[in-house]
Amino acid sequence: MTQSFRLETGGLINRDKTISFKFNGKNYFGYEGDTLASALIANGVHLIGRSFKYHRPRGFFGAGVDEPYAIVQLYRNGETEPNIKATEQELFEGLEAKSVNCWPSVNFDVGAINNFLKIFLPAGFYYKTFMWPKSFWYKIYEPFIRKAAGLGTASIKHDKERYEHKYEYCDLLITGSGPSGLASAYSAAKNGAKVILAEDKSRFGGTLLTSDVNIGNQSGKEWADSIVSELKEMSNVTIKNRSQVFGYYDHNMLVMSERISDHLPKTKKYHPKQRLWYIRAKEVLISSGSIERPIVFGNNDTPGVMLSSAAKEYMKVYGVLVGKKPLVFTNNDSGYETAIEFKKNGVDPIILDTRKEPQSEIIEEAKNMNIDIKNSYVVVAAQGYKKVKSADIAKISDDKEELGSVENIKCDCICVSGFWTPTIHLASQSGNKTKFNEEIDAFVPGTSKQNEKTLGAANGIYTLEETLKDSFEKGNQLSKEITNNDNKVSFPNVVEKKSTVHDKFWCVPLPKGKNYKRFLDFQNDVAVSDIEIALKEGYRSIEHVKRYTTLGMATDQGKTSNLNGLQLVSKIENKVVPAVGHTTFRPPYSPVSIGAIVGREVGKHSKPTRKSPMHSWHEKNNAVFVDAGVWLRPRYYKRGDENLFEASKREAKNVRTNVGVCDVTTLGKIDIKGPDAAELLNRVYTNAWLKLPVGKARYGVMLREDGIVMDDGTTTRISENHYHMTTTTAQAANVLSHLEYYLQLVWPELNVNVVSTTEQWAGAAIAGPKSREVLKKLFPNSDVTNEGLPFMGYMEGDLFGVKAKIFRISFSGELAYEVNVESDYGYFMWEKIIEAGEEFGIQPYGTEALSTLRIEMGHVAGSELDGRTIPYDNSLEGLISKKKDFIGKRSLSRKAFAAEDRQKIVGVVPLDKKTSIPEGSHLVKDSNAPLPNPKLGYISASCWSVEHDNPFSLAILKDGKNMIGEKLFVMSPLKNKVIPVEIVSSHYVDPKGERVRS
Amino acid sequence: MLHIKCPHCGMRSQNEFSYGGDATVKRPELGEEISDHDWDNFVYNRKSLRGRHWELWQHLSGCRQWIKVERDTATHEIFKTLKANEDIS
Ligand SMILES: [Zn+2]
């Protein structure tokens, strides 16, 4: 297939390397260095999609990040990605792309009926129409709108690509490698500053690649190339192409997405697809240039109408003609540069200039080339449906209000230039108070809030000489302040053509009797008439107008539409543009893939995984694991065909009858040392701690200042000034911070040190009536009798040469011990315990059996200490000291906490002794009461009691104290269950606590 | 993301810290007689200030020290940071 719109020569593409690709199922060829857009245009393809609302045909409008139309669904290496701009996507071998917003095909689109019904789709259409009847929204309206108004389809497959994050610090971050970016980077680099220069496109140089200028006796491109190659050699410079700085956040933190592999057929091994850079810069130089703005006229969204600068870029960079009969419609000199480029390539353009008698070097050159120039002329409307076929043009009066007689001329493209809009997005994001520059009719950065400066065209400076001078100077000056070097760069001789002032004309009036759609926002299909309606309906604030009409709300964020929208509002409102103000710019400047934002934190990498030193033993012994925070804990150890229920019942039963062992390494452990350690504990815990003897452990509860239970656990006095605190697995980190808070800020006079030792110790709980027999075998030289090591006692022991801490504490309610050894010996300890316990029938037990044991014993855990309960609610009021003050004590005397009928923990047993009670169910008095049925309490934890062989639950119940013996109902609408139950004591097993002391 | 100068470690990113609320609140002395009203003020009531504000942060993933930070809640500008034992001037 011939590329009928490719020039014979020219461009920066590699004509020796042909690349084949597919668009909408058809095969095409392009060259290395093409974008999908340039390759399609070279092949004469101008119809690329359908518009968002009216499904009107869409072509290409720009040549880069500003593109509002050419959004495609991309297929690469078996994966698909939506929302890809054809103007940014570099061509690679085997690339496949499809149009979006069209069904069944781009050429015949059913949704285009909206276009003919457009009288029914004015501003606020969705708000007005789809609000009623309400029940229609979810089932009918929303799915329809979603199907009809998408920008492609996200893949629902797992993304196999890798995305990385990188943190970087630099002296100067420079965003954009046009003349201002290169000049400032160069002079800053010469001063030894650490510089990052980011370029969004694949090629460095920005406008230097397309403008006809001369710097130091080189062409713009040659100069750019020489600066870039010098910068690349410097060790203090990082220079990145395909890298978009899209967000400016607080404290000079900027985020950049680097597209590492998107231009390749597939990602290289060990390479990421994209990399997200978090850059903390001392100074930021914004050199993001400017974007040409369109002039608004009838049917200005027809494929073939595009920015004049884009037409020039397609010729100069890609060697591609956007048309062979071009019309250039301009209000300034830029259009002439495009026309001259057409002429140089053997194509005769016609220039329509809205100005009456403009004069400048560039205009002179165009005249000398015999280009047809019509002054005081405008395009009234483009004609043609899927491609521009002709244009209705007319003379316009000096006051720009009256059109002369309309004539029709043939053309195949209309290149529009309505002057230039500085790209102030990053500056605005940084908090810069932008100001309106009358001269260029656009906003420019004003007062900086952060360390940021804007250069060149982004700052409204449109001449090369001034841009370079300012940029060399700013780069030198800012870096000098950081590095104290002052290596002046000699300023090169600059030759550029002088241009004259632009005409502040932006919208062509409608001719009499015609009602052409004149679009402001090309991606969201917002026309002049929509804004007029919004204002008629009383919308005044530009932020409201934006939301009501969706002007500037599409993925292009109004890069080409915002200013014209403002012009229109200010004209109707009879206000100046700065009085209307612009809407807030927010990151990202241009769409970023979710994968890049998430980075490596996916799947099992979404959080760290903590494993105990005994983990591999559990694995070898058929443990089924469960997530406990970031820990992996054995839930149960599967034997044969057992399920969770059977296995946990067996394990729990074995603890009650023989002996079991449980990995309790995950418990939080805090080492507390210092002469005031006891005093700290006494203030933190609700019970008394000053008289705990060395070698003894004590159970304690700590509160927050608001009286709510924060955590519980045992703390053991190891020696005079040394304590070992345990916390629950979940609260370990919070408790440490809590202690540090009080020690550092509230009671700095206390001489105490706290440090986490959770990972330093491996722990095993040995529980059951035969646990002492196991212990005797493990520590033959220690006296572990009931007298030698009584309940809540502590001793150190020698576990076959390994130093061990032995605590006689119990969570299961059985005679039990917890043995701790240094983590490295954890596996050894575990094997020894299993070995010693074999003759007593020892079995490992997991968290499920652990829960069963504590629930039927009425021991509280996370599901009761849930951040809503006070000690009384958990029947822990016996642990509250009356004699001393402690954290949160004052709150307990508040009225609600002392109420007579306050909630309290109780036990719940189903009357049929069979039906399991779902956790989270509600307790009610009357299961048939009208809704909402008054709730008396809730089920916090459920198990199958192995002691009684029937279901048993714990509940937090209103007036629980007086409810024992009552018959209530458990209701679970979620499980559709109603269960008659009896309220019993929460201590369902061994209520007197004899076993732990046996 | 904020850039906070830890008085012990130097400039560090916000993600190393955790926020700890108003630094000007003083906990009543232990055992102090205090009215419900005053206790409630200490436990619950905080002004949601716009502007300069002294607040607590803990350098959680660093030195673990609690520090005092004077920050503008509207602009995020940080004016000064102090160690836990230094008084807000
Ligand atoms: Zn620190």
Side-chain angles (χ1 to χ4, degrees):
Chain A
M1 192 178 293
T2 57
Q3 298 178 26
S4 49
F5 285 82
R6 183 81 70 178
L7 294 165
E8 288 295 316
T9 56
L12 308 174
I13 45 167
N14 177 12
R15 288 168 192 265
D16 295 332
K17 191 149 181 223
T18 351
I19 291 179
S20 58
F21 68 101
K22 245 184 199 171
F23 179 66
N24 284 339
K26 243 176 119 175
N27 290 310
Y28 298 97
F29 292 96
Y31 294 123
E32 187 180 70
D34 261 327
T35 59
L36 175 58
S38 67
L40 283 170
I41 299 172
N43 284 283
V45 178
H46 281 271
L47 181 62
I48 185 134
R50 292 279 175 164
S51 75
F52 194 62
K53 201 155 84 184
Y54 303 130
H55 289 233
R56 285 163 71 110
R58 286 292 181 249
F60 300 94
F61 195 71
V65 67
D66 50 336
E67 175 62 43
Y69 295 154
I71 287 169
V72 297
Q73 184 85 21
L74 187 78
Y75 300 83
R76 170 181 173 272
N77 192 28
E79 300 287 336
T80 182
E81 205 177 331
N83 201 11
I84 298 294
K85 291 189 183 91
T87 53
E88 293 194 301
Q89 178 59 51
E90 292 172 57
L91 208 61
F92 56 77
E93 185 61 40
L95 179 150
E96 272 192 71
K98 279 185 187 154
S99 298
V100 297
N101 270 346
C102 53
W103 183 83
S105 81
V106 68
N107 272 297
F108 176 76
D109 178 69
V110 168
I113 195 124
N114 284 0
N115 187 28
F116 304 106
L117 296 176
K118 68 188 167 213
I119 188 151
F120 300 116
L121 285 170
F125 171 72
Y126 293 129
Y127 294 108
K128 288 168 186 160
T129 313
F130 295 125
M131 292 310 286
W132 187 91
K134 227 179 170 179
S135 59
F136 272 35
W137 175 252
Y138 292 107
K139 283 182 183 155
I140 298 169
Y141 296 149
E142 199 193 5
F144 170 77
I145 294 170
R146 294 223 176 272
K147 192 170 171 358
L151 289 172
T153 317
S155 170
I156 54 167
K157 283 199 304 185
H158 170 71
D159 189 348
K160 287 177 293 190
E161 298 280 355
R162 208 170 77 192
Y163 301 85
E164 282 182 351
H165 285 183
K166 183 178 167 71
Y167 290 80
E168 194 54 272
Y169 292 80
C170 67
D171 294 329
L172 273 84
L173 171 65
I174 299 166
T175 67
S177 73
S180 55
L182 289 177
S184 55
Y186 189 72
S187 60
K190 285 282 176 195
N191 274 346
K194 192 174 174 200
V195 173
I196 298 176
L197 176 62
E199 170 57 46
D200 168 35
K201 294 199 166 186
S202 62
R203 297 175 182 85
F204 295 102
T207 52
L208 292 171
L209 302 179
T210 54
S211 47
D212 199 4
V213 294
N214 196 293
I215 308 171
N217 294 324
Q218 299 174 93
S219 76
K221 180 174 183 305
E222 284 162 359
W223 182 80
D225 286 348
S226 67
I227 294 279
V228 167
S229 56
E230 210 173 320
L231 288 173
K232 277 183 176 166
E233 293 302 309
M234 297 170 82
S235 60
N236 54 329
V237 177
T238 304
I239 174 163
K240 286 279 168 194
N241 59 339
R242 304 186 176 101
S243 296
Q244 172 78 261
V245 178
F246 65 80
Y248 200 135
Y249 300 88
D250 290 303
H251 294 188
N252 263 32
M253 158 74 85
L254 291 94
V255 185
M256 171 172 100
S257 83
E258 183 187 5
R259 302 180 306 276
I260 293 167
S261 311
D262 295 68
H263 64 293
L264 302 171
K266 66 185 266 203
T267 307
K268 285 185 205 150
K269 208 175 177 186
Y270 307 124
H271 281 220
K273 182 162 186 258
Q274 295 178 1
R275 181 181 287 130
L276 204 71
W277 294 56
Y278 292 90
I279 304 170
R280 187 82 69 174
K282 284 187 187 138
E283 299 283 344
V284 175
L285 288 174
I286 298 167
S287 51
S288 43
S290 56
I291 291 173
E292 200 164 26
R293 55 179 181 261
I295 302 176
V296 180
F297 56 87
N299 301 331
N300 57 336
D301 64 329
T302 312
V305 177
M306 61 164 59
L307 293 173
S308 115
S309 58
K312 189 172 77 172
E313 187 168 336
Y314 284 117
M315 286 185 273
K316 291 207 84 157
V317 176
Y318 304 103
V320 168
L321 285 173
V322 299
K324 293 176 180 173
K325 256 185 108 45
L327 205 61
V328 176
F329 179 28
T330 187
N331 69 1
N332 69 94
D333 286 8
S334 302
Y336 288 77
E337 292 176 24
T338 304
I340 289 167
E341 195 59 33
F342 271 117
K343 186 81 182 177
K344 280 184 186 165
N345 285 299
V347 173
D348 276 324
I350 301 171
I351 296 177
L352 305 188
D353 192 331
T354 64
R355 297 172 294 184
K356 201 175 177 186
E357 292 163 332
Q359 282 184 8
S360 72
E361 264 183 72
I362 300 170
I363 297 170
E364 214 45 47
E365 186 183 343
K367 281 181 182 161
N368 291 338
M369 290 172 90
N370 290 321
I371 291 174
D372 185 358
I373 301 167
K374 294 179 186 297
N375 284 321
S376 294
Y377 252 91
V378 297
V379 175
V380 174
Q383 300 295 353
Y385 184 57
K386 288 177 193 168
K387 178 77 200 289
V388 171
K389 289 194 174 112
S390 66
D392 290 344
I393 64 169
K395 236 186 153 64
I396 192 157
S397 61
D398 291 354
D399 64 1
K400 303 288 196 271
E401 299 288 339
E402 304 295 325
L403 292 175
S405 58
V406 174
E407 41 190 308
N408 183 272
I409 57 169
K410 294 266 172 266
C411 61
D412 62 356
C413 66
I414 302 174
C415 307
V416 195
S417 178
F419 209 49
W420 296 86
T421 307
T423 306
I424 58 169
H425 297 65
L426 284 178
S428 172
Q429 285 177 22
S430 83
N432 187 300
K433 280 206 171 36
T434 58
K435 59 184 187 208
F436 192 72
N437 181 333
E438 293 283 344
E439 215 170 290
I440 63 166
D441 235 16
F443 286 94
V444 292
T447 319
S448 299
K449 194 185 111 185
Q450 304 198 41
N451 294 342
E452 138 281 320
K453 284 192 171 53
T454 304
L455 305 171
N459 198 24
I461 301 172
Y462 293 145
T463 71
L464 181 63
E465 182 155 15
E466 206 184 326
T467 290
L468 287 178
K469 254 192 188 134
D470 184 49
S471 305
F472 273 122
E473 197 185 299
K474 291 265 165 54
N476 174 60
Q477 190 190 321
L478 289 173
S479 55
K480 190 170 76 183
E481 278 160 26
I482 295 166
T483 64
N484 289 321
N485 297 329
D486 191 5
N487 300 316
K488 285 256 162 32
V489 176
S490 63
F491 187 72
N493 184 43
V494 176
V495 183
E496 63 186 315
K497 276 172 252 168
K498 302 268 177 305
S499 54
T500 182
V501 291
H502 84 291
D503 182 7
K504 294 183 182 179
F505 176 83
W506 64 274
C507 184
V508 181
L510 284 174
K512 278 196 185 68
K514 296 287 183 191
N515 198 17
Y516 297 123
K517 276 269 172 198
R518 293 172 296 170
F519 285 94
L520 291 165
D521 184 314
F522 302 105
Q523 198 171 88
N524 264 358
D525 278 5
V526 181
V528 170
S529 50
D530 293 315
I531 304 286
E532 287 168 350
I533 290 172
L535 291 165
K536 247 183 234 164
E537 291 181 359
Y539 289 87
R540 288 294 174 271
S541 155
I542 188 69
E543 294 282 2
H544 293 160
V545 171
K546 165 181 163 178
R547 279 156 187 81
Y548 193 55
T549 61
T550 71
L551 172 81
M553 280 175 69
T555 63
D556 70 338
Q557 292 207 8
K559 291 183 178 69
T560 49
S561 65
N562 279 340
L563 255 154
N564 286 339
L566 288 179
Q567 291 281 11
L568 178 61
V569 174
S570 70
K571 191 179 154 201
I572 301 172
E573 291 282 284
N574 214 357
K575 280 182 188 166
V576 289
V577 171
V580 176
H582 62 75
T583 54
T584 317
F585 293 100
R586 292 197 176 86
Y589 169 68
S590 126
V592 186
S593 66
I594 300 278
I597 291 166
V598 175
R600 299 288 295 272
E601 291 163 19
V602 285
K604 67 174 182 168
H605 299 297
S606 61
K607 55 182 172 38
T609 304
R610 296 175 83 179
K611 296 173 183 171
S612 92
M614 290 84 97
H615 188 82
S616 59
W617 190 94
H618 306 322
E619 275 179 331
K620 275 182 259 173
N621 289 273
N622 297 326
V624 175
F625 292 94
V626 62
D627 291 317
V630 292
W631 289 97
L632 272 184
R633 296 189 72 178
R635 193 171 185 192
Y636 62 99
Y637 299 81
K638 197 181 172 81
R639 283 190 181 175
D641 292 334
E642 275 178 341
N643 60 23
L644 165 69
F645 178 70
E646 292 157 351
S648 61
K649 227 165 88 175
R650 166 183 52 76
E651 291 169 8
K653 187 84 194 160
N654 190 57
V655 171
R656 292 265 182 258
T657 50
N658 295 313
V659 57
V661 57
C662 181
D663 187 345
V664 292
T665 303
T666 62
L667 281 184
K669 303 172 205 77
I670 297 171
D671 210 52
I672 303 176
K673 274 184 180 165
D676 294 323
E679 180 60 30
L680 173 71
L681 295 171
N682 209 43
R683 295 177 183 191
V684 166
Y685 281 130
T686 61
N687 49 347
W689 284 82
L690 297 180
K691 288 179 184 151
L692 180 73
V694 172
K696 280 285 185 184
R698 185 164 285 176
Y699 175 70
V701 172
M702 57 178 81
L703 308 186
R704 312 189 307 217
E705 291 287 16
D706 62 3
I708 300 287
V709 179
M710 181 178 178
D711 199 39
D712 70 341
T714 57
T715 292
T716 306
R717 190 167 194 178
I718 305 288
S719 67
E720 180 66 19
N721 293 329
H722 183 193
Y723 291 78
H724 174 87
M725 175 186 273
T726 63
T727 72
T728 59
T729 302
Q731 291 294 329
N734 289 344
V735 171
L736 183 64
S737 273
H738 180 71
L739 298 180
E740 287 165 335
Y741 175 90
Y742 283 94
L743 284 174
Q744 294 171 24
L745 289 156
V746 185
W747 303 311
E749 68 277 10
L750 292 184
N751 189 355
V752 186
N753 256 313
V754 292
V755 67
S756 164
T757 53
T758 302
E759 300 193 342
Q760 278 64 34
W761 298 102
I766 306 169
K770 295 178 183 166
S771 56
R772 186 178 288 125
E773 301 308 313
V774 180
L775 214 66
K776 277 183 188 160
K777 279 179 76 182
L778 291 171
F779 301 99
N781 302 325
S782 302
D783 176 12
V784 296
T785 60
N786 205 14
E787 293 71 39
L789 183 58
F791 181 53
M792 296 310 263
Y794 163 77
M795 64 163 57
E796 279 165 20
D798 174 36
L799 182 82
F800 306 102
V802 173
K803 214 175 95 182
K805 293 181 166 181
I806 313 165
F807 307 85
R808 187 170 162 193
I809 52 179
S810 175
F811 191 49
S812 58
E814 294 298 326
L815 168 67
Y817 303 87
E818 275 183 33
V819 182
N820 280 7
V821 294
E822 284 178 29
S823 295
D824 286 353
Y825 299 107
Y827 194 95
F828 171 80
M829 166 183 71
W830 189 269
E831 280 197 314
K832 285 290 170 200
I833 294 170
I834 296 287
E835 200 182 301
E838 206 181 346
E839 61 175 293
F840 307 106
I842 200 166
Q843 287 178 20
Y845 64 101
T847 55
E848 200 68 22
L850 184 80
S851 287
T852 296
L853 294 166
R854 76 93 186 168
I855 292 169
E856 64 175 1
M857 197 51 75
H859 284 168
V860 292
S863 48
E864 290 78 35
L865 310 179
D866 63 352
R868 296 182 294 181
T869 52
I870 60 170
Y872 174 87
D873 305 348
N874 292 299
S875 286
L876 296 170
E877 63 270 29
L879 287 171
I880 292 172
S881 165
K882 297 209 163 52
K883 290 186 193 136
K884 57 145 193 174
D885 197 1
F886 52 85
I887 293 168
K889 186 178 191 185
R890 179 63 182 80
S891 289
L892 295 179
S893 59
R894 304 290 285 120
K895 220 166 148 189
F897 288 174
E900 258 303 297
D901 61 348
R902 210 183 143 77
Q903 60 178 10
K904 200 174 187 57
I905 189 167
V906 293
V908 178
V909 178
L911 291 185
D912 68 358
K913 304 262 173 125
K914 269 187 241 159
T915 313
S916 289
I917 302 172
E919 290 177 347
S921 306
H922 288 184
L923 283 155
V924 298
K925 198 158 189 71
D926 174 5
S927 62
N928 293 312
L931 297 174
N933 196 338
K935 170 189 146 186
L936 302 175
Y938 58 94
I939 302 293
S940 61
S942 289
C943 73
W944 187 277
S945 166
V946 289
E947 182 94 359
H948 296 276
D949 203 26
N950 59 253
F952 176 75
S953 297
L954 293 174
I956 306 288
L957 182 62
K958 191 175 170 67
D959 198 18
K961 184 174 63 171
N962 296 315
M963 296 295 272
I964 309 296
E966 294 282 323
K967 304 262 191 316
L968 299 175
F969 294 91
V970 158
M971 292 189 78
S972 174
L974 209 64
K975 299 256 162 95
N976 203 18
K977 273 188 178 176
V978 178
I979 308 161
V981 297
E982 186 186 354
I983 305 304
V984 299
S985 159
S986 59
H987 299 295
Y988 201 41
V989 173
D990 188 25
K992 288 183 183 153
E994 285 163 348
R995 295 182 192 177
V996 293
R997 292 179 176 81
S998 62
Chain B
M1 206 191 308
L2 306 185
H3 212 199
I4 302 170
K5 186 180 175 185
C6 171
H8 309 278
C9 311
M11 296 301 289
R12 297 300 172 98
S13 267
Q14 184 185 343
N15 49 4
E16 294 185 12
F17 294 84
S18 73
Y19 180 73
D22 190 334
T24 63
V25 174
K26 200 180 170 310
R27 192 195 189 279
E29 295 293 326
L30 282 171
E32 187 183 327
E33 283 284 319
I34 183 168
S35 68
D36 280 355
H37 178 265
D38 289 349
W39 181 256
D40 285 354
N41 272 342
F42 159 65
V43 175
Y44 298 106
N45 296 332
R46 297 287 182 274
K47 284 196 178 109
S48 183
L49 285 174
R50 189 180 198 279
R52 281 189 178 218
H53 183 236
W54 276 98
E55 53 201 23
L56 295 170
W57 290 77
Q58 188 183 15
H59 195 189
L60 209 64
S61 310
C63 62
R64 293 203 65 91
Q65 294 300 301
W66 284 88
I67 61 169
K68 298 170 184 172
V69 177
E70 191 189 24
R71 181 178 69 105
D72 189 310
T73 55
T75 64
H76 291 313
E77 187 178 352
I78 290 176
F79 305 97
K80 205 173 177 186
T81 54
L82 295 174
K83 293 177 183 170
N85 62 4
E86 291 174 320
D87 285 330
I88 297 163
S89 46

